[in-house]
Amino acid sequence: MKKYIIATLAFFNFSQQTINAQTNPNAQLPAKLKTTATLKMPTGVIGQANAVNATGITVVVDTTIRVAPTYAYLAIDFAQVTGTNNIDILNGTHLFWIFDKTGKEIKLPLKVLSSVKAAMEGNGPVELKVRVPFRLKTDKNLYTIHYRWESKDKSRNIDVLTTK
């Protein structure tokens, strides 16, 4: 009898995870194209980009931001982004999705904070700093965060996925 109950619960749990993955395509990185490059990321983080390259990437949890002092932010710093310029990054769109441990999407009323630095000529690499709100500072649960920057014409993008 116990084996039957355990098998039923395991099947239900697996089915629920499959449903969550199917209903939340943003819980994973998009499919790779011929132009997709895998970014060298810190341990526990995966990233990919199309038509741009980024190096010197750091990803940490930041709880010192004063904009929304009750929230913890995922700090993603790209030391060198090539294949684009600062105007393109500023005109692009910053998107993010947050999922709890069961795969349920969590909506926050906050926005992504970003900072862009580049040479005046626009030929050199761009420094991009992004802060993604994802949980209350007092909350110690793990969340999966998917951050995406895409250019205005949607031809270039950067995707980062991590659990923190």
Side-chain angles (χ1 to χ4, degrees):
M1 181 71 173
K2 286 183 182 179
K3 290 180 183 178
Y4 177 73
I5 292 172
I6 291 171
T8 304
L9 290 174
F11 175 75
F12 177 74
N13 189 25
F14 177 74
S15 298
Q16 194 64 24
Q17 288 175 351
T18 304
I19 290 169
N20 286 335
Q22 290 172 351
T23 58
N24 292 320
N26 295 317
Q28 55 193 354
L29 291 178
K32 290 187 176 185
L33 307 171
K34 289 181 180 180
T35 59
T36 302
T38 302
L39 301 174
K40 185 175 181 183
M41 304 295 285
T43 305
V45 183
I46 56 174
Q48 64 186 35
N50 284 313
V52 296
N53 194 9
T55 59
I57 303 167
T58 59
V59 180
V60 296
V61 176
D62 187 356
T63 58
T64 62
I65 294 180
R66 296 183 201 148
V67 174
T70 58
Y71 282 91
Y73 285 73
L74 182 69
I76 308 170
D77 295 342
F78 301 93
Q80 294 185 345
V81 179
T82 56
T84 187
N85 58 37
N86 57 346
I87 301 298
D88 192 32
I89 290 181
L90 289 171
N91 289 334
T93 307
H94 298 275
L95 305 166
F96 71 99
W97 300 271
I98 305 164
F99 302 94
D100 64 10
K101 60 186 171 188
T102 64
K104 180 182 174 191
E105 185 173 358
I106 297 170
K107 301 277 187 184
L108 288 181
L110 302 172
K111 294 182 179 184
V112 173
L113 306 174
S114 65
S115 164
V116 180
K117 291 182 185 176
M120 291 294 288
E121 301 86 38
N123 295 335
V126 178
E127 181 180 308
L128 173 62
K129 294 183 179 193
V130 178
R131 303 297 183 261
V132 180
F134 73 98
R135 66 169 169 85
L136 292 172
K137 285 182 184 179
T138 57
D139 186 0
K140 299 301 178 191
N141 291 321
L142 289 177
Y143 293 93
T144 300
I145 304 107
H146 180 184
Y147 164 75
R148 179 181 182 90
W149 170 83
E150 60 186 11
S151 63
K152 191 173 184 177
D153 63 358
K154 300 193 185 324
S155 65
R156 292 175 302 283
N157 61 49
I158 300 172
D159 283 287
V160 176
L161 185 68
T162 187
T163 300
K164 297 283 185 191

